[in-house]
C-alpha cells in the first residue's frame, strides 16, 4: 500500500533543506520502489501568513492521516513580535501534543570525516554514536500545578511539578530498549533517584521493563554524572533514556560533541511508531534563501523516517551510506567546511547525495 508522507517545509531555510530531502526520497521512489506519496503543506510563520495561525486545522488533519511527517524548521525575525499564542513554534507544539509524540530520538553520530569539527579532542569523539531517547510529552514541562504565586508575606514564589506515571515511564522505556536491541544492546537510564522520588519510580519501572529485554545491558546513572561522562568519555554510551527536562539538556550537550548542527537528525514518535522527523537545528534566517544551508540533517531525518515509521531499514542505511560517501568526496557546506575541502551549496549537496545513492 502506498504510504503517505506529509512534508512541512516551514520557514527560513526550511523550504531549501526539505526540497533536498524530497529529491532523495523521489530518487528512492524511482530506483528502489520506496512507494511513498508526498504532499506539502504550511507550518509556522508561513502558515500564519496564509491563515493567521501557525498550523491550520486542515493541516493538523492531514498530519493525523499521514503515515509520517517530514518537517524543515519554523520561526524567523518576521514573526518574533507576534502574540505568543500564534508564534511559529506553537505550530510545532500542536503537532507534538495532538499526535502524542512522546518519544524523541536524537542520534549524536560523528562522521569520522568531520572529527575535527568537534571542540573535543578527536580521540575522545571519533567513533561517537549515541542515541538519546527523551520523553517528550510529560515530566516537569507539563506537570500541574505550576505557576507563580504570592505568599502570605508578599514574596513571589515560582513552582512546577515533576510528575511521571508508571505507564508513561514504561512506554518510553520500551522505545529505548527496542532501539538498544537494534544497536549495541547497551542502555543507560538517567535519573536523579538519590534526590527525586519521581525518578526513584523511574528507575524501578525501567528495571521492571528490562526483564523483557534480557539481552540488553542496563545501567543507571545520575544526571549530574551523565553530563560529566558525556564530556569525559562519551563513547561509553550506546542508548540513553531519560525524562523530558534531563533529555532536553543532555541531548543538546551530546549533539554538540559532534560539532556540527547541520548534520543532526531527530525523530518524535507515538505509540505506533508514527512520527515526525526534523533536523535538530532551527530555521537559520541569517542564511535563508542563499543556497548556503546544509541539507544533510534533513536528509538524515528522512533516513530515520524510513527506519522507524516506514519499515525500510535497508533504504535508511542506503541514505546514510550516501551521506558518508559525499563527505568522503570532500564535499562540505559552509557550516562543516574546513581547509582543503570542496565548498558546495545546499542544492549541490542534495544532488551529490542523490548521485551517491
Ligand atoms: P538556528 O539553529 O536556526 O541557527 C543557529 C546557527 O546555526 C545560525 O548561525 C545558522 O545559520 C546555523 N545553522 C543552523 N542550521 C544550519 C544548517 N542546516 N546549515 C548551515 N548552518 C545552519 O538557531 P537560532 O538562530 O537560535 O534560531 C533561528 C530561528 O529558528 C528562531 O526563530 C528559532 O525560534 C527557530 N528555531 C526553530 C526550531 C525548529 O523549528 N525545530 C529549533 C530551534 C530554533
Amino acid at each position: 500500500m502506498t504510504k503517505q508522507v506529509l512534508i512541512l517545509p516551514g520557514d527560513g531555510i526550511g523550504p531549501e533543506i526539505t526540497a533536498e530531502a524530497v529529491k532523495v526520497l523521489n530518487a528512492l521512489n524511482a530506483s528502489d520502489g520506496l512507494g511513498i506519496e508526498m504532499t506539502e503543506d504550511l507550518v509556522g510563520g508561513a502558515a500564519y501568513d496564509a491563515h493567521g495561525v501557525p498550523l491550520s486545522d486542515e493541516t493538523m488533519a492531514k498530519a493525523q492521516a499521514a503515515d509520517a511527517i517530514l518537517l524543515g524548521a519554523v520561526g524567523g525575525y518576521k514573526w518574533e513580535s507576534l502574540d505568543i499564542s500564534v508564534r511559529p513554534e506553537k505550530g510545532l507544539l500542536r503537532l507534538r501534543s495532538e499526535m502524542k509524540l512522546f518519544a524523541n530520538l536524537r542520534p549524536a553520530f560523528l562522521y569520522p570525516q568531520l572529527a575535527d569539527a568537534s571542540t573535543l579532542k578527536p580521540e575522545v569523539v571519533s567513533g561517537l554514536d549515541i542515541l538519546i531517547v527523551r520523553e517528550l510529552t510529560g515530566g516537569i514541562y507539563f506537570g500541574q500545578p505550576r505557576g507563580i504565586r504570592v505568599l502570605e508575606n508578599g514574596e513571589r514564589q515560582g513552582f512546577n511539578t515533576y510528575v511521571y506515571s508508571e505507564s508513561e515511564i514504561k512506554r518510553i522505556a520500551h522505545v529505548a530498549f527496542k532501539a538498544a536491541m537494534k544497536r549495541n544492546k547497551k542502555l543507560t537510564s538517567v535519573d536523579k533517584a538519590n534526590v527525586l522520588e519521581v525518578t526513584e519510580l523511574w528507575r524501578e519501572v525501567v528495571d521492571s521493563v528490562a526483564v523483557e529485554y534480557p539481552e540488553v545491558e542496563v545501567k543507571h546513572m545520575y544526571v549530574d554524572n551523565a553530563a560529566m561522562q558525556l564530556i569525559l568519555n562519551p563513547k561509553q554510551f550506546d542508548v540513553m533514556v531519560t525524562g523530558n527536562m534531563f533529555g532536553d539538556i543532555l541531548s543538546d550537550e551530546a549533539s554538540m560533541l559532534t560539532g556540527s548542527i547541520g548534520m543532526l537528525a531527530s525523530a518524535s514518535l507515538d505509540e505506533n511508531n508514527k512520527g515526525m522527523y526534523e533536523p535538530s537545528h532551527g530555521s537559520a534566517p541569517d542564511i535563508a534563501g542563499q543556497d548556503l544551508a546544509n541539507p544533510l540533517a534533513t536528509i538524515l531525518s528522512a533516513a530515520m523516517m524510513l527506519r522507524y515509521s516506514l519499515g525500510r531499514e535497508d533504504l535508511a542505511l542506503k541514505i546514510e551510506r550516501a551521506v558518508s560517501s559525499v563527505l568522503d568526496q570532500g564535499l562540505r557546506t559552509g557550516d562543516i567546511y574546513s581547509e582543503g575541502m570542496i565548498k558546495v551549496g545546499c542544492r549541490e549537496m542534495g544532488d551529490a547525495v542523490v548521485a551517491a545513492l
Side-chain angles (χ1 to χ4, degrees):
M1 207 173 66
T2 308
K3 297 265 172 86
Q4 299 295 329
V5 174
L6 179 64
I7 310 284
L8 297 174
D11 311 316
I13 59 170
E16 298 167 64
I17 53 180
T18 44
E20 299 313 309
V22 166
K23 244 187 221 172
V24 169
L25 292 169
N26 273 329
L28 292 176
N29 261 346
S31 63
D32 292 79
L34 170 59
I36 59 169
E37 210 170 87
M38 291 177 268
T39 45
E40 210 174 291
D41 213 323
L42 301 174
V43 68
Y48 177 83
D49 287 348
H51 308 299
V53 284
L55 187 81
S56 70
D57 292 342
E58 292 74 40
T59 313
M60 188 66 235
K62 280 188 202 167
Q64 297 280 18
D67 294 291
I69 298 155
L70 184 68
L71 187 134
V74 298
Y77 314 129
K78 188 178 166 190
W79 303 283
E80 270 167 14
S81 53
L82 288 179
D83 184 79
I84 195 156
S85 63
V86 287
R87 291 237 184 103
E89 294 73 17
K90 286 283 173 193
L92 265 189
L93 293 180
R94 181 173 180 199
L95 283 162
R96 285 179 188 158
S97 67
E98 289 192 25
M99 293 177 63
K100 301 187 173 58
L101 304 175
F102 69 92
N104 184 229
L105 273 53
R106 269 231 233 166
F109 178 79
L110 181 74
Y111 282 87
Q113 301 93 323
L114 301 177
D116 287 340
S118 175
T119 51
L120 297 193
K121 292 184 192 125
E123 63 266 30
V124 176
V125 289
S126 63
L128 183 83
D129 183 0
I130 303 175
L131 178 68
I132 300 213
V133 179
R134 163 188 171 196
E135 203 290 326
L136 200 60
T137 53
I140 195 164
Y141 290 177
F142 290 90
Q144 295 288 350
R146 60 191 295 157
I148 299 173
R149 59 191 163 206
V150 181
L151 300 176
E152 271 176 21
N153 65 3
E155 191 187 9
R156 288 191 305 156
Q157 184 185 56
F159 60 100
N160 288 86
T161 304
Y162 192 177
V163 57
Y164 268 121
S165 61
E166 251 180 304
S167 58
E168 281 177 304
I169 305 168
K170 245 184 213 161
R171 66 180 185 177
I172 193 73
H174 277 293
V175 171
F177 276 105
K178 283 185 183 135
M181 284 297 291
K182 288 186 183 163
R183 293 168 47 101
N184 290 326
K185 303 192 171 72
K186 274 171 61 184
L187 178 66
T188 307
S189 173
V190 177
D191 62 41
K192 190 71 182 168
N194 50 341
V195 181
L196 300 169
E197 287 82 354
V198 52
T199 65
E200 198 183 320
L201 179 69
W202 177 282
R203 195 175 273 222
E204 248 176 57
V205 174
V206 169
D207 277 336
S208 73
V209 173
V211 177
E212 295 176 45
Y213 304 88
E215 286 175 59
V216 178
E217 180 197 323
V218 187
K219 213 172 162 177
H220 297 280
M221 197 177 272
Y222 296 140
V223 63
D224 40 351
N225 187 27
M228 191 175 76
Q229 295 297 330
L230 269 173
I231 303 293
L232 186 69
N233 177 19
K235 282 187 273 181
Q236 69 185 284
F237 297 111
D238 176 24
V239 179
M240 299 174 90
V241 63
T242 189
N244 205 344
M245 180 168 61
F246 296 163
D248 190 3
I249 299 164
L250 292 180
S251 63
D252 268 22
E253 185 189 359
S255 66
M256 276 305 102
L257 298 174
T258 71
S260 48
I261 198 165
M263 298 294 299
L264 299 164
S266 84
S268 305
L269 305 177
D270 77 357
E271 205 101 42
N272 305 309
N273 271 355
K274 178 171 159 178
M276 182 159 83
Y277 298 83
E278 55 184 312
S280 296
H281 58 73
S283 58
D286 53 329
I287 57 166
Q290 301 169 52
D291 194 33
L292 290 175
N294 184 349
L296 294 178
T298 315
I299 290 171
L300 291 167
S301 300
M304 287 186 88
M305 175 174 85
L306 299 186
R307 171 170 296 125
Y308 291 106
S309 289
L310 302 179
R312 293 301 302 262
E313 173 73 22
D314 57 332
L315 297 185
L317 286 171
K318 192 167 177 173
I319 294 178
E320 287 160 358
R321 275 193 225 108
V323 167
S324 192
S325 149
V326 299
L327 294 175
D328 280 339
Q329 294 163 33
L331 303 185
R332 303 282 189 273
T333 43
D335 58 309
I336 51 172
Y337 178 77
S338 59
E339 206 159 306
M341 298 292 131
I342 307 157
K343 204 179 242 183
V344 295
C346 183
R347 279 195 294 273
E348 212 179 326
M349 187 59 110
D351 289 340
V353 174
V354 169
L357 285 172

